[in-house]
């Protein structure tokens, strides 16, 4: 094994270059080269093949080659300007390879290069795990993939990590099981800033325990999840539509989107924290809402096949105005309002169905409208509890179904004096009685002849 090379530059400054070493071993998957366990060494990998990791001050690769580190934990001390510098074609860490930065406060940089891969699932070993754990502040550049139960973690300790590269959390259809996931975790008191690109495919989890700020591109695919933990904050400053699946906001958490486009939330979601967006909000799937929703000026809540348990009246715009409800064309929706609901600005039944379970009042402060084959079902109906400020001229009240608490239809629905009622409007009632009197008189005259 060669000793570390120390080179003097022309200006006289002392530069410590990563060391080119002749490692023991064969460089094969069953006989990898062994990286020495020396935290003071700056190590360079210069030959394609398999390596068994040890501790080092920094790790770099040659300009070309494919390098694989297996079977061991590896720790970099993070007092180097570039602690990980992948200049080759690919660097792979698998089979419990744990790349972990030290506790030094100095910022450090990770260059993922053309491609650095973290692979957790290997062969039939479901217990394998490949993780990249930051215990330092710093920056990420280059391209990195996390696959098959691999994770990127910013540990607790007030660390601040910025991504300027391209990071992907990739699913593999060949890997079975519901329990595995690829995770980006920001632990309590620490922060992660995305100034690059992050892709979260199916079975990917964005787990925010501290602070996550998105300033660039964050793509979440169907089957992924987002968790914002108690007291944590997620902020997206990017414009454009954001799709989120299985969003869980724990008590005391905050979710903020600066985009004026529609924020779309799919799947099983639970809002125990505060959600705000400068646009509208579209909901699909099962939703439990317990805390606060704030939308942009003129924002509406779009329901697209949603089953929503509404347990808070804290819904409004940033100006404190009411928000409207808009049903997506052809959808079937259910609102279970367990407390006094907020007053909504309007209700649009767009060729769609809405069933509402009310336990107190349900108030639309503006217009109720609909087109096509729509239906509004109101369960637990009571007189004087359902108020519509107005209905569209062509709104068909025969499409409103009123039921009691046992699901029995109570009768025809009418609209009178701003309320939905079982009692016909007085003018219609008077006309019906006059018509009935005329028919009775005509019948009597016929009999007397």
């Amino acid at each position: 094994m060669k000793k570390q090379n120390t080179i003097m530059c022309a200006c006289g400054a002392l530069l410590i270059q990563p060391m080119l070493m002749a490692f023991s071993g064969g460089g094969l998957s069953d006989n990898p080269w062994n990286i020495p366990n020396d935290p003071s060494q700056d190590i360079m990998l210069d030959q394609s093949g398999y390596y068994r990791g040890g501790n080092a001050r920094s790790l770099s690769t040659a300009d070309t080659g494919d390098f694989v580190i297996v079977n061991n934990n590896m720790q970099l001390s993070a007092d180097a300007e570039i602690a990980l510098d992948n200049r080759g074609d690919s660097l792979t860490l698998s089979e419990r390879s744990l790349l972990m930065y030290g506790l030094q406060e100095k910022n450090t940089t990770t260059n993922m290069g053309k491609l650095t891969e973290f692979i957790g699932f290997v062969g039939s070993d479901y217990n394998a795990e490949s993780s990249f754990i930051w215990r330092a502040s710093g920056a990420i550049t280059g391209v990195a993939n996390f696959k098959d139960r691999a994770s990127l973690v910013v540990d607790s300790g007030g660390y601040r990590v910025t991504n300027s590269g391209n990071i992907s959390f990739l699913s593999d259809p060949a890997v079975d099981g519901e329990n595995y996931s690829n995770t980006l975790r920001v632990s309590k008191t620490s922060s992660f800033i995305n100034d690059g690109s992050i892709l979260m495919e199916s079975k990917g989890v964005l787990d925010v325990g501290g602070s996550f700020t998105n300033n660039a591109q964050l793509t979440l695919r169907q089957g992924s999840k987002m968790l914002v933990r108690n007291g944590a904050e997620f902020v997206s400053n990017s414009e454009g539509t954001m799709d989120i699946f299985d969003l869980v906001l724990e008590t005391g958490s905050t979710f903020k989107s600066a985009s004026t486009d529609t924020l779309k939330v799919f799947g099983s979601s639970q809002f125990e924290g505060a959600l705000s967006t400068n646009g509208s909000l579209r909901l699909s799937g099962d939703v439990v809402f317990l805390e606060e929703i704030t939308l942009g000026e003129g924002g509406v809540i779009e329901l697209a096949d949603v089953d929503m348990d509404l347990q808070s009246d804290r819904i409004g715009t940033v100006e404190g105005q009411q928000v409207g409800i808009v049903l997506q064309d052809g959808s079937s929706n259910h609102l279970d309002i367990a407390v006094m609901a907020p007053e909504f600005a309007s209700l649009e039944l767009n060729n769609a169905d809405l069933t509402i379970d009310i336990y107190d009042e349900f108030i639309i402060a503006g217009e109720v409208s609909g087109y096509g084959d729509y239906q509004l079902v109101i369960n637990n109906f009571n007189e004087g509890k359902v108020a519509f400020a107005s209905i569209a001229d062509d709104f068909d009240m025969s499409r409103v179904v009123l039921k009691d608490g046992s699901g029995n239809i109570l009768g025809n629905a009418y609209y009178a004096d701003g309320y939905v009622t079982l009692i016909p409007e007085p003018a219609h009632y008077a006309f019906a009685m006059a018509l009935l009197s005329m028919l009775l008189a005509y019948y009597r005259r016929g009999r007397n002849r």
Side-chain angles (χ1 to χ4, degrees):
M1 185 178 295
K2 299 177 182 179
K3 297 295 183 182
Q4 180 169 304
N5 296 321
T6 303
I7 301 176
M8 297 290 293
C9 72
C11 62
L14 186 65
L15 296 179
I16 305 297
Q17 296 292 339
M19 184 177 179
L20 218 57
M21 291 187 171
F23 302 116
S24 62
L28 304 175
S29 59
D30 57 351
N31 184 25
W33 285 303
N34 293 295
I35 298 175
N37 185 10
D38 188 347
S40 67
Q41 293 279 7
D42 297 282
I43 294 178
M44 174 181 281
L45 310 181
D46 70 325
Q47 187 170 343
S48 295
Y50 289 80
Y51 295 80
R52 181 177 286 112
N55 294 337
R57 178 176 180 269
S58 69
L59 177 69
S60 62
T61 66
D63 291 341
T64 60
D66 299 298
F67 312 94
V68 182
I69 298 177
V70 298
N71 295 333
N72 207 344
N73 296 338
M74 186 168 188
Q75 179 172 325
L76 303 182
S77 64
D79 64 350
E81 182 177 344
I82 304 179
L84 174 63
D85 191 6
N86 176 28
R87 307 173 198 172
D89 300 305
S90 68
L91 172 65
T92 302
L93 295 101
S94 65
E95 299 181 53
R96 288 192 178 278
S97 291
L98 176 63
L99 189 59
M100 183 170 63
Y101 287 142
L103 298 175
Q104 289 84 351
E105 294 182 359
K106 181 178 179 179
N107 287 351
T108 189
T109 299
T110 289
N111 172 30
M112 301 291 188
K114 299 175 186 176
L115 176 62
T116 297
E117 289 194 299
F118 298 83
I119 301 177
F121 175 81
V122 180
S124 60
D125 184 5
Y126 284 92
N127 294 317
E129 181 179 5
S130 181
S131 301
F132 184 35
I133 299 179
W134 282 78
R135 290 182 178 171
S137 294
I140 299 172
T141 61
V143 179
N145 289 340
F146 291 79
K147 300 190 296 185
D148 311 337
R149 296 178 63 177
S151 59
L152 169 59
V153 177
V154 182
D155 219 347
S156 296
Y159 305 119
R160 180 184 175 94
V161 176
T162 300
N163 170 51
S164 299
N166 186 329
I167 301 176
S168 297
F169 297 82
L170 305 177
S171 60
D172 185 351
V175 180
D176 296 326
E178 295 292 329
N179 295 326
Y180 98 84
S181 63
N182 307 307
T183 304
L184 170 53
R185 179 179 299 114
V186 185
S187 302
K188 191 173 183 178
T189 73
S190 293
S191 61
F192 188 96
I193 301 168
N194 179 38
D195 289 334
S197 174
I198 295 177
L199 168 63
M200 190 76 68
E201 289 191 348
S202 175
K203 296 188 178 180
V205 179
L206 177 54
D207 184 346
V208 182
S211 171
F212 186 102
T213 303
N214 177 50
N215 297 323
Q217 184 174 349
L218 174 63
T219 303
L220 305 172
R221 296 276 171 81
Q222 185 173 1
S224 65
K225 298 179 180 181
M226 181 188 293
L227 171 62
V228 186
R229 296 186 180 273
N230 188 302
E233 180 180 61
F234 173 91
V235 177
S236 180
N237 296 314
S238 295
E239 279 292 338
T241 300
M242 178 181 291
D243 294 351
I244 301 177
F245 300 85
D246 292 355
L247 173 61
V248 176
L249 304 179
E250 292 186 350
T251 303
S253 65
T254 303
F255 180 106
K256 298 179 181 178
S257 172
S259 175
T260 55
D261 289 332
T262 299
L263 173 66
K264 300 178 182 179
V265 180
F266 303 87
S268 298
S269 301
Q270 186 158 329
F271 302 161
E272 297 182 19
L275 181 147
S276 65
T277 176
N278 283 339
S280 294
L281 174 65
R282 178 180 291 183
L283 300 174
S284 297
D286 296 331
V287 179
V288 177
F289 169 57
L290 303 175
E291 186 54 35
E292 180 178 1
I293 293 177
T294 304
L295 306 183
E297 182 178 0
V300 298
I301 294 180
E302 301 176 16
L303 303 183
D305 292 317
V306 68
D307 188 352
M308 185 173 182
D309 185 2
L310 184 59
Q311 300 183 32
S312 173
D313 62 353
R314 300 175 65 186
I315 300 177
T317 69
V318 67
E319 299 87 5
Q321 302 298 313
Q322 299 149 343
V323 303
I325 298 177
V326 178
L327 272 58
Q328 187 181 53
D329 193 304
S331 64
S332 180
N333 306 276
H334 175 241
L335 290 181
D336 189 346
I337 304 174
V339 296
M340 181 181 292
E343 294 186 12
F344 293 98
S346 59
L347 173 61
E348 298 179 28
L349 299 155
N350 298 323
N351 192 38
D353 297 335
L354 175 61
T355 298
I356 305 175
D357 293 328
I358 60 172
Y359 297 93
D360 196 74
E361 295 181 329
F362 181 71
I363 300 174
I364 303 297
E367 185 179 71
V368 176
S369 61
Y371 72 86
D373 187 16
Y374 60 89
Q375 185 180 61
L376 174 62
V377 178
I378 301 176
N379 293 326
N380 302 312
F381 176 80
N382 284 294
E383 292 287 347
K385 295 293 186 178
V386 179
F388 298 161
S390 64
I391 59 174
D393 292 340
D394 58 351
F395 185 78
D396 186 356
M397 286 298 297
S398 69
R399 294 180 176 272
V400 179
V401 179
L402 306 180
K403 296 183 178 181
D404 62 17
S406 300
N408 301 309
I409 296 178
L410 297 174
N412 295 330
Y414 299 92
Y415 178 71
D417 298 326
Y419 286 90
V420 176
T421 178
L422 290 164
I423 304 172
E425 188 175 2
H428 294 167
Y429 181 76
F431 175 78
M433 292 302 294
L435 180 61
L436 179 60
S437 297
M438 291 174 60
L439 290 174
L440 286 173
Y442 179 80
Y443 174 74
R444 288 168 179 164
R445 282 198 299 269
R447 291 189 62 182
N448 292 334
R449 290 178 181 174

